[in-house]
C-alpha cells in the first residue's frame, strides 16, 4: 500500500501522496474516510500492525485507480483470502465513475460477486484437497504413529508406574496442541486451531480416570486390556480420529458455505454450517462411549467451544465491518463477558467437586451398555476409588479450564482487540511527510502485482 501511495502520479505530474492526501482521495470514494480515519490508521496499515478489511482495500484501489488485479493482489497479501481465486472473487465491485484527478466521483456500487472462471474454480477445489491432504499426511498420521509407538514403548518398560498413563496423555496432548498453536497451516485459516481444541476436549477427560487405570471411553473393560497401555492408546486414537474428522468437516463445510449465496445465508448462517456439524459429531462420539458425568462436562465444554469459535469465525469474515462506536464497545464488552464466564467456570468446577454425585459417577456404563466394577480385584475400597476419582477430576478440570480461558478465550480477545484497534490513533503514530513536487518520471509506478498460482 505504501508503494502505491508513494508512486501515485496525479494530473499535475506530481508523484506521491501523503497519508492525509491518500485519505482525502479515499474520502471521495467513501465520505467516511474524511471523518473517521487519521494518518495513524494509514501508518498501521502500511506497517502491518493492523490489517485493513477487504472493503478498505477496495476503496484504496478505487481511490488510486488500481486495476482489479492489483486490488486482488493487495487482498491476497493482506491475508484476507486464501488464494488468488478467492481474492479475485472478492473484487466483485463496479466503480460507478472512476476517481478523476479533480476528485469527482459517484462512489462505489458493491454489486454481487462476479462468478469465477472455470480454471479458478478448479484451482480453488484442488487447493482445498491439497490442504486436507497435508492435514492427514503431515499431522494426523504422524500423531497416530506416535500414539501407537509411545504406547508400546511404555508397555515395554512394564507399564507399572502410576505416572505412565498421565504422562502418555499429557505428552500426546502437548504435541497435538503444538500443531495448532505453534505451527498451524496458514492456508487453512482457523481449521488447525479448531481441531486441536476438539482433541483437547475429547482426550483430557482421560485424566479423571487415570488414577484407577481406567479410561472415560470404557476401553479398559475389553478383554484383558485393564492395567495395560491399550485403553489409553485407543482413547487417544479415537480422540485424534474424531478431532481430525471435525477439522475436515469444518474446512469443507466452511468452504462450501462460502461458495453458496453469501447474501442469502449471511455471516451467521455460514458460520453455523461450519462450526455446528463437527461439534455435534464429536459429542455423539462422547455420548456413545462415555458415562453420564462426561456427557454433562462435555456438553458444557462443547457449547462454550462452539460459541467462541463461532464468534471468532464471524469476526474474521471480511463482510463484518463494525462502526467506530461498536469497535470501542466490543473490546470491553468481550473482556467483561470473558471475566464473568471464567468466574462462572471456576464456581461450576467447585460445585461439581463438592457434589456427591457428578464427579464421582463411576466409569461403569456408557450408551452401549453397563458393567460391574470388581473392587476386590481392583485393589481399592469404594471410598478409595471415589477419592481417586475426585483427585483425577481436579486435574482434568484444571487443565480444561486453563486451556479454555487462556487459549480459546485468548484467541477471541486477540481477534476483538485487533478489530477494535483497527481505526484508533495513538501517540506512537507515524507523522507523514508532505510530498514534494516531482516529475512523472522521478519514480516508477508499480506495474501491478503478479502471482504464480502454486501447483498444489
Amino acid at each position: 500500500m505504501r508503494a502505491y501511495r508513494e508512486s501515485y502520479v496525479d494530473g499535475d505530474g506530481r508523484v506521491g501522496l501523503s497519508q492525509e492526501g491518500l485519505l482525502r482521495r479515499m474520502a471521495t470514494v467513501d465520505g467516511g474516510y474524511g471523518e473517521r480515519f487519521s494518518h495513524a490508521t494509514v501508518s498501521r496499515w502500511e506497517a502491518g500492525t493492523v490489517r485493513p478489511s477487504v472493503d478498505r482495500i477496495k476503496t484504496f484501489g478505487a481511490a488510486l485507480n488500481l486495476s482489479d488485479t492489483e486490488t486482488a493482489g493487495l487482498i491476497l497479501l493482506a491475508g484476507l483470502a486464501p488464494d488468488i481465486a478467492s481474492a479475485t472473487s472478492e473484487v466483485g465491485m463496479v466503480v460507478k465513475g472512476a476517481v478523476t484527478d479533480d476528485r469527482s466521483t459517484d462512489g462505489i456500487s458493491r454489486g454481487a460477486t462476479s462468478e469465477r472462471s472455470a480454471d479458478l474454480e478448479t484451482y480453488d477445489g484442488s487447493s482445498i484437497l491439497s490442504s486436507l491432504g497435508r492435514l492427514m499426511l503431515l499431522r494426523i498420521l504422524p500423531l497416530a504413529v506416535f500414539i501407537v509407538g509411545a504406547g508400546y514403548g511404555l508397555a515395554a518398560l512394564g507399564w507399572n508406574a502410576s505416572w505412565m498413563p498421565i504422562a502418555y496423555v499429557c505428552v500426546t496432548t502437548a504435541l497435538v496442541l503444538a500443531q495448532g498453536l505453534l505451527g498451524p497451516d496458514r492456508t487453512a485459516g482457523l481449521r488447525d486451531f479448531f481441531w486441536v481444541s476438539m482433541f483437547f476436549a475429547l482426550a483430557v477427560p482421560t485424566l479423571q480416570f487415570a488414577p484407577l487405570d481406567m479410561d472415560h471411553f470404557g476401553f479398559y473393560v475389553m478383554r484383558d486390556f485393564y492395567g495395560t497401555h491399550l485403553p489409553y492408546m485407543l482413547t487417544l486414537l479415537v480422540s485424534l480420529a474424531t478431532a481430525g474428522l471435525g477439522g475436515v468437516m469444518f474446512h469443507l463445510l466452511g468452504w462450501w458455505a462460502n461458495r453458496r449465496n453469501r447474501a442469502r445465508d449471511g455471516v451467521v448462517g455460514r458460520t453455523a454450517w461450519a462450526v455446528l456439524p463437527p461439534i455435534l459429531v464429536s459429542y455423539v462420539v462422547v455420548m456413545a462411549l462415555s458415562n453420564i458425568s462426561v456427557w454433562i462436562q462435555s456438553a458444557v465444554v462443547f457449547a462454550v467451544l462452539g460459541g467462541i469459535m463461532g464468534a471468532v469465525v464471524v469476526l474474521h469474515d471480511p463482510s463484518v465491518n463494525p462502526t467506530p462506536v461498536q469497535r470501542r464497545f466490543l473490546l470491553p464488552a468481550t473482556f467483561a463477558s470473558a471475566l464473568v464466564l471464567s468466574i462462572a467456570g471456576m464456581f461450576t468446577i467447585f460445585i461439581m467437586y463438592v457434589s456427591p454425585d457428578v464427579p464421582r459417577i463411576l466409569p461403569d456404563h456408557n450408551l452401549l451398555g453397563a458393567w460391574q466394577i470388581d473392587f476386590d480385584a481392583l485393589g481399592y475400597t469404594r471410598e478409595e476409588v471415589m477419592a481417586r476419582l475426585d483427585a483425577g477430576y481436579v486435574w482434568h478440570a484444571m487443565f480444561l479450564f486453563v486451556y479454555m480461558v487462556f487459549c480459546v478465550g485468548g484467541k477471541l480477545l486477540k481477534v476483538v482487540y485487533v478489530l477494535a484497534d483497527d481505526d484508533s490513533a495513538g501517540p506512537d503514530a507515524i507523522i507523514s511527510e508532505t510530498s514534494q513536487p516531482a516529475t512523472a518520471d522521478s519514480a516508477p509506478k508499480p506495474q501491478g502485482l503478479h502471482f504464480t498460482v502454486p501447483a498444489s
Side-chain angles (χ1 to χ4, degrees), residues 208-227:
Q208 181 175 351
F209 305 99
L212 294 172
D213 275 337
M214 298 177 180
D215 65 287
H216 65 297
F217 284 163
F219 291 125
Y220 75 94
V221 299
M222 295 174 61
R223 302 162 79 179
D224 298 325
F225 284 3
Y226 181 77

Side-chain angles (χ1 to χ4, degrees), residues 280-433:
L280 292 176
V281 168
S282 299
Y283 190 67
V284 167
V285 173
V286 172
M287 287 283 291
L289 299 179
S290 295
N291 64 3
I292 190 171
S293 66
V294 181
W295 299 352
I296 297 172
Q297 297 168 45
S298 297
V300 176
V301 172
F302 285 154
V304 174
L305 178 61
I308 293 179
M309 283 301 304
V312 171
V313 173
V314 167
L315 293 176
H316 267 276
D317 195 285
S319 65
V320 176
N321 186 24
T323 65
V325 175
Q326 292 171 331
R327 293 174 191 274
R328 288 192 294 269
F329 172 77
L330 192 58
L331 183 59
T334 304
F335 182 81
S337 299
L339 183 61
V340 170
L341 289 175
S342 299
I343 295 174
M346 295 176 62
F347 183 73
T348 301
I349 291 173
F350 175 76
I351 292 298
M352 293 181 69
Y353 177 72
V354 299
S355 169
D357 297 320
V358 177
R360 296 186 173 189
I361 293 179
L362 293 171
D364 58 359
H365 65 279
N366 57 26
L367 202 61
L368 304 178
W371 53 90
Q372 292 292 327
I373 296 178
D374 188 344
F375 293 100
D376 293 333
L378 190 61
Y380 300 109
T381 66
R382 186 178 183 87
E383 290 71 20
E384 289 174 333
V385 168
M386 298 307 179
R388 285 176 172 266
L389 282 179
D390 281 351
Y393 169 76
V394 170
W395 284 104
H396 151 237
M398 181 183 68
F399 278 112
L400 202 53
F401 177 80
V402 169
Y403 182 79
M404 295 299 293
V405 170
F406 291 98
C407 295
V408 179
K411 182 76 170 181
L412 176 61
L413 285 175
K414 178 183 177 182
V415 173
V416 171
Y417 175 79
V418 171
L419 187 64
D421 191 54
D422 192 0
D423 299 322
S424 60
D428 58 344
I430 301 174
I431 306 298
S432 63
E433 298 179 357

Side-chain angles (χ1 to χ4, degrees), residues 203-250:
V204 165
T206 308
L207 297 177
Q208 181 175 351
F209 305 99
L212 294 172
D213 275 337
M214 298 177 180
D215 65 287
H216 65 297
F217 284 163
F219 291 125
Y220 75 94
V221 299
M222 295 174 61
R223 302 162 79 179
D224 298 325
F225 284 3
Y226 181 77
T228 71
H229 72 286
L230 292 174
Y232 300 93
M233 186 182 76
L234 292 176
T235 296
L236 292 173
L237 288 175
V238 169
S239 299
L240 180 65
T242 304
L245 175 62
V248 171
M249 292 177 64
F250 177 79

